Amino acid sequence: MTPQNLKDIAMLWFKAFNEHDLDSLLELYNDSAQHYSPKLKIREPETNGLIKGKDALRTWWKDCFERLPTLQYEVNKLTADSEQIFMEYTRKVQGEEDMKVGEVLEIKNGKIVFSRVYHG
């Protein structure tokens, strides 16, 4: 895939996330995709921050959208090669301080196979 193809997938990811469209978001992922997040590690310590498969992703993000109905991500910068994209964005939630976030999406055959979130 080209870097532009990956950027297009990332923009679809942001659109689905910002619309809290769980089905469209999950459609971007491979069935056995994995996701790592420091927030996961805090909220669900038994996962050690890593979940696997679409069912786990659905459960995690459904809870997230329900807990944080004003959650939005503002794109700052996208950097891609042929296999992954690094997304820099600002996490915005009404009543909370904005948070700068970095996230890597590894993409194979047009689907996200691994996502990793980094923030302070």
Side-chain angles (χ1 to χ4, degrees), residues 61-118:
W61 284 320
K62 183 176 186 288
D63 176 67
C64 177
F65 293 153
E66 288 172 356
R67 281 184 300 107
L68 305 167
T70 64
L71 176 65
Q72 294 287 289
Y73 291 157
E74 181 179 285
V75 181
N76 298 322
K77 185 174 182 178
L78 303 174
T79 307
D81 61 22
S82 62
E83 297 176 352
Q84 64 183 20
I85 184 162
F86 183 74
M87 308 184 305
E88 296 175 70
Y89 57 90
T90 303
R91 177 187 180 270
K92 296 179 171 282
V93 176
Q94 193 173 44
E96 294 184 15
E97 187 175 328
D98 288 355
M99 178 188 300
K100 298 292 186 186
V101 180
E103 184 161 354
V104 175
L105 302 179
E106 290 181 27
I107 300 173
K108 290 189 183 358
N109 299 317
K111 296 289 186 179
I112 301 165
V113 296
F114 201 112
S115 50
R116 296 183 302 278
V117 178
Y118 302 96

Side-chain angles (χ1 to χ4, degrees), residues 3 5 19:
N5 294 142
E19 292 175 358

